[in-house]
Amino acid sequence: MICAIDFGSCRIRSMFRNPQTPERLTMYSERSEYTLLGDTEQHRVALARQNLPYAECDQALVVFGNHAASAQWLSRVPRTALLTAGVVPSDDPPARQMLSLLTEAMLPDHSGSKDLCVLTIPGLRDGSDQAKKNEAFLYRLVQMRGYHPVVVNSAEAALLATCSDASFTGVCIVMGAETTTICVARYGMLIVSETIAIGGNCIDAELAKQFRMQMFDEAGTAYLDIESVRRWKLESGVDLKNPLGDRERMMAKLYTVALDRVTHAVREMLTSTPVLVALNKKRVSVMIAGGAAMVEGFTNLLTEQFIQRDIADQILSVRIAPDPETAVVRGALIFGELESRAMMTEKAA
């Protein structure tokens, strides 16, 4: 059995081939968040009427995963992320337990000692103690399911899923909720990669702050209503290159600032010695994935930033990946199948 799991700050996705029909893929997707409710009879009755499972924790009721959104109407505060800024919280034992339960539910039963699971690690992988602990915890969750875990860079995974027409050569950018990961590869072989601490959540939070999009609890405490911003982005048809109102202009400005950092990193990569040697100054395609990139006008705005950074002459094309939200988990599964073949070949040799 070979499977993949993408631990995202907004959603956790897993994918594997159906054991009965290997030509078909099975994918699970769960929100990486939870809703906290008071332990009252009214809440218990409401959850029972909706058939929503819940857990009891410190005189509270907890609804997590996809069910958290269904229970949101019972709470006056926003849902809580299971991964704080892309990191497994060290001071939130219930969140760690919920991550364990979701991982167990989303991965199939292992069938043997050779079972492989490829996982992506959220947050910055900068070698810090926090980053090491974050990777070790998620690695262990997969290991506890009986799999041999293999970690893959999210941009490298997305490249494998989306860049076959470019011979798996070029730049891949994955803009997620908390971080943006960038890689440059040649024929599927990673040359350089970098993760920067900027993503869709910081843009959404700033928009909610600037336009006072808030929720209030019973005590009158205000919370940023980031979920409303996310819905507005997807449902309003906003175009980053043709903003029509103050809110759209602010979002375009925030995306411009974010993409300026992204293009700066791309420029540093393309002008580095390893890339210059590997690509021999050939023009490359840029593939974009991740939920934060699913805004009209994103590619045009990114192209403008490439022009301002004076690297447009090195870029062949700028494209949004097909189904950009699932590109990483699809690529992780491909990585796992390639890794399994390589291991079998090595063993045979």
Side-chain angles (χ1 to χ4, degrees), residues 259-327:
L259 292 181
D260 180 65
R261 289 186 59 186
V262 171
T263 52
H264 173 74
V266 172
R267 185 180 186 278
E268 293 296 308
M269 290 180 179
L270 292 179
T271 56
S272 66
T273 300
V275 173
L276 290 173
V277 171
L279 299 182
N280 194 25
K281 298 184 179 180
K282 292 181 180 178
R283 298 174 69 191
V284 295
S285 298
V286 176
M287 185 64 74
I288 305 158
M294 295 177 63
V295 182
E296 193 69 31
F298 187 96
T299 55
N300 293 333
L301 190 60
L302 181 60
T303 300
E304 280 192 1
Q305 294 302 307
F306 284 144
I307 293 172
Q308 291 190 19
R309 286 285 179 183
D310 199 29
I311 55 172
D313 60 337
Q314 300 177 53
I315 306 301
L316 190 63
S317 64
V318 180
R319 298 176 293 164
I320 295 286
D323 198 2
E325 289 188 296
T326 67

Side-chain angles (χ1 to χ4, degrees), residues 14 16 28 30 99-108 145:
S14 68
F16 52 91
Y28 292 114
E30 290 280 347
L99 283 168
S100 177
L101 291 172
L102 285 175
T103 302
E104 181 179 358
M106 296 175 70
L107 293 180
R145 289 292 291 155

Side-chain angles (χ1 to χ4, degrees), residues 112-165:
S113 60
K114 298 179 181 179
D115 289 349
L116 190 72
C117 181
V118 178
L119 66 149
T120 63
I121 306 296
L124 295 175
R125 300 182 66 194
D126 53 5
S128 63
D129 288 342
Q130 184 184 59
K132 292 177 181 177
K133 290 178 181 178
N134 194 46
E135 180 172 334
F137 180 82
L138 297 176
Y139 189 97
R140 180 59 179 162
L141 290 186
V142 172
Q143 203 170 44
M144 287 169 61
R145 289 292 291 155
Y147 287 91
H148 171 64
V150 176
V151 178
V152 67
N153 178 296
S154 60
E156 181 183 2
L159 180 134
L160 290 175
T162 60
C163 294
S164 59
D165 59 344

Side-chain angles (χ1 to χ4, degrees), residues 73-95:
W73 67 279
L74 294 168
S75 175
R76 293 191 178 183
V77 299
R79 298 188 291 274
T80 303
L82 289 172
L83 296 161
T84 306
V87 176
V88 178
S90 59
D91 57 350
D92 190 351

Side-chain angles (χ1 to χ4, degrees), residues 30-31 35 50-53 63-72:
E30 290 280 347
R31 291 176 178 266
T35 296
Q50 286 188 270
N51 293 318
L52 294 178
V63 184
F64 60 95
N66 291 339
H67 296 300
S70 301
Q72 179 63 52

Side-chain angles (χ1 to χ4, degrees), residues 51-68:
N51 293 318
L52 294 178
Y54 60 87
E56 300 178 18
C57 178
D58 295 332
Q59 299 181 338
L61 304 179
V62 181
V63 184
F64 60 95
N66 291 339
H67 296 300

